[in-house]
């Protein structure tokens, strides 16, 4: 039957048009009660989608609701998204321009595109609908979230990081934050083309990683620390055994010999927790050539420093900090938390011996991410850890469109490890360190 030039189905209809949102919820609930999970588990993706479509149509007919063909198609797709995916989030998860998804309750969904936040039209039906999606995400990685444990870190099957928090801690309804996994990993050349750093900086970083210098990547949230970590890992020879340790696995190493470890939260009885410190200690028994720690957060800092000082050179770690000095201060504090008996002078000496290079990353006001500086750790001077700056980014202005204008600068300082790099056959020209400015790519 045709109406207004649009084809309608033969489903009987009542006097009033249907509320598609309410109808979708009703169909979804009824579908869940009808589905044979054991049968569906045996189907491939195409057969499963067909089964869901047929079951959805059968339920619609039993409701006796009049819908146009486009409305039915939309409803069936929404139901498939609810069952096979993550409901309203699917459209954002499939959008390659979106890097972060921030859900502040059922009706406030924001995304980050190009380093800038913007509000979307995506909505959940209510807080219960949002909670159902959160429960589904969390259950897939064997974790839990409820009133007794209202916060959780998890990940999606593609590696995207997820954090969720429930009322009463979240006052305006469940809050969900997703840091999307970048499927196409950026290379050093990509970062240079984007203006995140310049070739001499990239060359030095690649050389120090290959020469087994220990590197700390410091930066704030969203500054690109993990991207840099992935990029630096490209310089690790494929013949080496790498062990990664993360709270939520997201690193994308391409080497053939990689062992990935992930922490585990406590169970319902508060037992079974496995911390990063536990994993650092265990990985030392696994004969690693390199240890990559996703982020230093606590007492594992001491074990990591000891590993760096006992034959595990070339390790890579990240830390939340706004400057190299802050990074060193935070690591020192975390080491002190692990062992209150260590004198501050011993802690500083251990850090100065273990840490070689500090890379500072930042996200600027225009949303771009830059390597703000590369610093070399020199040792102890006047009871403090001494560093020297090799490169830095200098912001000069902000143009009318809000874009940051500036240059990268070689400070003129030559790294003390330069002879070590060259002794290993690495090409590190003196010209890289001459005092000069490197304009951003146009």
């Amino acid at each position: 039957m045709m109406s207004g030039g649009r084809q309608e189905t033969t489903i009987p209809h009542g006097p009033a048009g249907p509320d598609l949102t309410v109808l979708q919820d009703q169909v979804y609930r009824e579908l869940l009660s009808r589905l044979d999970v054991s049968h569906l588990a045996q189907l491939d993706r195409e057969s499963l989608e067909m089964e869901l479509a047929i079951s959805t149509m059968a339920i619609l007919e039993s409701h006796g609701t009049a819908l146009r063909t486009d409305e039915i198609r939309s409803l069936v797709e929404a139901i498939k998204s609810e069952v096979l995916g993550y409901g309203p989030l699917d459209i954002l998860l499939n959008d390659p321009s979106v890097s972060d998804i921030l859900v502040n309750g059922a009706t406030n969904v924001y995304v980050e595109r190009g380093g800038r936040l913007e509000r979307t039209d995506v909505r959940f039906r209510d807080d219960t609908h949002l909670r159902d999606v959160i429960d589904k995400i969390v259950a897939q990685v064997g974790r839990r979230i409820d009133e007794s444990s209202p916060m959780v870190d998890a990940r999606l099957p593609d590696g995207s990081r997820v954090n969720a928090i429930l009322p009463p801690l979240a006052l305006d309804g469940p809050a969900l934050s997703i840091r999307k996994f970048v499927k196409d990993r950026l290379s050093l050349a990509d970062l240079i083309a984007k203006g995140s750093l310049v070739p001499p900086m990239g060359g030095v970083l690649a050389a120090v990683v290959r020469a087994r210098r220990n590197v700390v990547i410091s930066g704030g949230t969203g500054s690109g620390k993990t991207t840099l970590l992935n990029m630096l890992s490209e310089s690790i020879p494929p013949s080496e055994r790498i062990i990664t340790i993360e709270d939520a696995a997201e690193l994308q190493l391409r080497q053939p010999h990689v062992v990935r470890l992930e922490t585990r939260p406590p169970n319902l009885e508060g037992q079974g927790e496995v911390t990063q410190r536990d994993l650092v200690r265990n990985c030392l028994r696994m004969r690693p050539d390199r240890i990559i720690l996703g982020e230093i957060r606590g007492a594992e800092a001491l074990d990591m420093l000891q590993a760096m000082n006992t034959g595990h050179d070339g390790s890579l770690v990240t830390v939340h900090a706004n400057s190299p000095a802050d990074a060193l201060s935070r690591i020192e504090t975390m080491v002190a938390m692990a062992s209150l008996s260590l004198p501050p002078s011993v802690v500083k000496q251990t850090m100065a011996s273990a840490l070689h290079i500090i890379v500072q990353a930042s996200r600027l006001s225009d949303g771009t991410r830059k390597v703000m500086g590369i610093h070399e750790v020199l040792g102890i001077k006047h009871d403090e850890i001494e560093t020297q700056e090799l490169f830095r980014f200098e912001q000069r202005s902000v143009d009318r469109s809000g874009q940051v204008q500036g240059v990268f600068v070689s400070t003129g300082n030559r790294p003390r490890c330069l002879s070590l790099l060259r002794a290993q056959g690495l090409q590190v020209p003196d010209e890289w360190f001459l005092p000069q400015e490197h304009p951003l790519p146009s």
Side-chain angles (χ1 to χ4, degrees), residues 102-129:
L102 308 171
V103 183
N104 310 330
T107 59
N108 293 304
V109 180
Y110 290 79
V111 298
E112 179 184 296
R113 284 190 176 95
R116 296 181 181 274
L117 290 177
E118 58 184 67
R119 189 170 182 175
T120 72
D121 295 328
V122 173
R123 300 288 184 272
F124 293 83
R125 293 188 294 274
D126 49 34
D127 284 349
T128 300
H129 185 203

Side-chain angles (χ1 to χ4, degrees), residues 7 15 82 113 119 141 147 171 191 214 316 383 387 392:
Q7 183 180 3
E82 291 285 348
R113 284 190 176 95
R119 189 170 182 175
V141 290
E147 286 70 18
L171 300 181
L191 295 181
N214 296 321
L316 306 174
D383 295 325
T387 65
R392 68 173 176 268

Side-chain angles (χ1 to χ4, degrees), residues 378-394:
L378 302 178
I380 297 292
K381 184 177 183 180
H382 304 308
D383 295 325
E384 295 295 334
I385 299 175
E386 182 184 11
T387 65
Q388 70 169 350
E389 187 177 48
L390 304 178
F391 300 92
R392 68 173 176 268
F393 176 74
E394 292 183 357

Side-chain angles (χ1 to χ4, degrees), residues 93-387:
L93 291 170
N94 294 327
D95 186 343
S97 69
V98 172
S99 57
D100 287 80
I101 303 171
L102 308 171
V103 183
N104 310 330
T107 59
N108 293 304
V109 180
Y110 290 79
V111 298
E112 179 184 296
R113 284 190 176 95
R116 296 181 181 274
L117 290 177
E118 58 184 67
R119 189 170 182 175
T120 72
D121 295 328
V122 173
R123 300 288 184 272
F124 293 83
R125 293 188 294 274
D126 49 34
D127 284 349
T128 300
H129 185 203
L130 173 55
R131 175 66 187 276
D132 287 343
V133 173
I134 292 174
D135 288 340
K136 184 174 185 179
I137 293 172
V138 170
Q140 288 177 336
V141 290
R143 302 195 175 185
R144 67 184 182 93
I145 184 168
D146 52 37
E147 286 70 18
S148 63
S149 180
M151 298 182 292
V152 71
D153 287 313
R155 70 175 187 275
L156 298 179
D158 69 352
S160 298
R161 278 190 301 179
V162 178
N163 176 269
I165 183 167
L166 301 180
L169 302 186
L171 300 181
D172 300 317
L176 178 66
S177 305
I178 300 176
R179 171 66 56 81
K180 286 180 60 179
F181 181 83
V182 180
K183 295 181 176 61
D184 297 323
R185 194 178 76 173
L186 296 177
S187 65
L188 174 59
D190 293 326
L191 295 181
I192 292 174
K194 287 176 175 289
S196 296
L197 70 169
V198 289
M201 297 169 69
V204 168
L205 291 178
V208 297
V209 171
R210 193 157 186 90
R212 302 186 66 86
R213 299 287 83 192
N214 296 321
V215 179
V216 176
I217 300 174
S218 167
T221 300
S223 59
K225 297 189 298 298
T226 302
T227 298
L228 273 174
L229 191 58
N230 276 316
M231 182 270 288
L232 293 182
S233 72
E234 291 183 344
S235 299
I236 299 176
S239 59
E240 297 188 10
R241 174 175 169 86
I242 306 168
I243 297 181
T244 68
I245 299 171
E246 301 175 85
D247 265 340
E250 59 178 329
L251 293 174
Q252 308 172 60
L253 274 65
R254 294 174 180 168
Q255 284 79 358
H257 199 163
V258 178
V259 180
R260 304 167 69 212
L261 305 181
E262 186 179 58
T263 61
R264 186 177 69 185
N267 59 21
L268 289 171
E269 291 75 33
Q271 304 298 317
E273 180 180 17
V274 179
T275 66
Q276 286 199 140
R277 189 174 195 185
D278 297 327
L279 294 178
V280 171
R281 289 175 170 177
N282 187 81
C283 85
L284 297 178
R285 306 182 185 103
M286 300 172 65
R287 199 237 171 253
D289 289 314
R290 308 255 188 167
I291 301 173
I292 299 181
L293 182 56
E295 182 184 339
I296 295 179
R297 298 190 180 192
E300 69 273 4
L302 175 59
D303 301 275
M304 193 67 195
L305 290 178
Q306 290 176 332
M308 291 174 174
N309 274 325
T310 55
H312 298 93
D313 291 333
S315 297
L316 306 174
V317 302
T318 73
V319 63
H320 266 85
N322 294 323
S323 69
D326 287 345
L328 292 172
S329 178
R330 283 208 66 206
I331 294 173
E332 183 179 351
T333 300
M334 288 185 280
V335 171
M337 292 167 55
S339 178
L340 298 177
S341 61
L342 285 176
S345 59
V346 174
V347 174
K348 286 186 171 68
Q349 186 61 55
T350 301
M351 292 173 57
S353 176
L355 306 178
H356 302 135
I357 298 292
I358 303 175
V359 183
Q360 183 65 40
S362 182
R363 181 172 63 175
L364 305 183
S365 59
D366 60 356
T368 59
R369 294 168 173 84
K370 297 271 190 288
V371 174
M372 301 301 291
I374 299 176
H375 294 245
E376 182 184 25
V377 178
L378 302 178
I380 297 292
K381 184 177 183 180
H382 304 308
D383 295 325
E384 295 295 334
I385 299 175
E386 182 184 11
T387 65

